[in-house]
Amino acid sequence: MRCLLSLALALLVLEVTLAVVPAFISPEQAVCPEASSSEEAPCVKTCLTDNDCLGNNKCCPSACGRSCKTPTIVLTPKVGSCPWVQPPVSPELCQEQSECSMDSQCWGNKKCCFSRCARKCLDPILEDVPQ
């Protein structure tokens, strides 16, 4: 019973930790939204490149030129699979802190995987592809 209670508490802590981890969005995931014919903004060219836009906005084609718009985020799956790790043998609470909840929060080709009892950005295992 004590082991189940410890496991439930650990899962609750993990859920709270994952809820506060900020998402990392790479530039490749941010794309211009589809142009809408119902745009009511006046025809004003406001940008030439993404650097002309404030914050994370992108310079996107519009009905009469280019304007800064909030991008749409497209999540692309990363290749490979997570490495196997030995689960903890002790019922004690884990001291690790999760650093991700999804692959898109990891830099480069790293994937968000369990590392003992928390989620970490780890190098993936790439399956051998027959030639």
Side-chain angles (χ1 to χ4, degrees):
M1 184 67 171
R2 182 176 176 197
C3 184
L4 287 175
L5 184 58
S6 295
L7 178 61
L9 183 58
L11 289 174
L12 180 62
V13 168
L14 178 62
E15 183 178 10
V16 169
T17 302
L18 292 177
V20 298
V21 173
F24 165 73
I25 303 297
S26 71
E28 297 83 32
Q29 295 171 306
V31 297
C32 287
E34 288 189 31
S36 170
S37 59
S38 63
E39 292 179 14
E40 296 187 22
C43 275
V44 177
K45 294 180 184 179
T46 60
C47 61
L48 295 175
T49 69
D50 292 345
N51 293 333
D52 298 331
C53 300
L54 294 176
N56 293 327
N57 286 343
K58 293 187 69 63
C59 186
C60 301
S62 62
C64 56
R66 299 182 68 80
S67 60
C68 295
K69 296 189 178 179
T70 303
T72 301
I73 305 304
V74 178
L75 298 178
T76 54
K78 293 188 178 183
V79 297
S81 58
C82 289
W84 184 85
V85 293
Q86 176 70 38
V89 282
S90 170
E92 297 173 13
L93 287 178
C94 182
Q95 298 299 316
E96 289 184 315
Q97 294 286 325
S98 289
E99 62 185 28
C100 60
S101 60
M102 56 180 34
D103 289 349
S104 62
Q105 295 171 321
C106 298
W107 290 96
N109 67 340
K110 292 187 181 286
K111 294 181 70 71
C112 186
C113 304
F114 274 106
S115 171
R116 306 257 318 142
C117 56
R119 295 185 68 84
K120 302 281 184 181
C121 293
L122 302 174
D123 289 320
I125 301 297
L126 301 176
E127 290 80 17
D128 290 333
V129 179
Q131 295 181 359

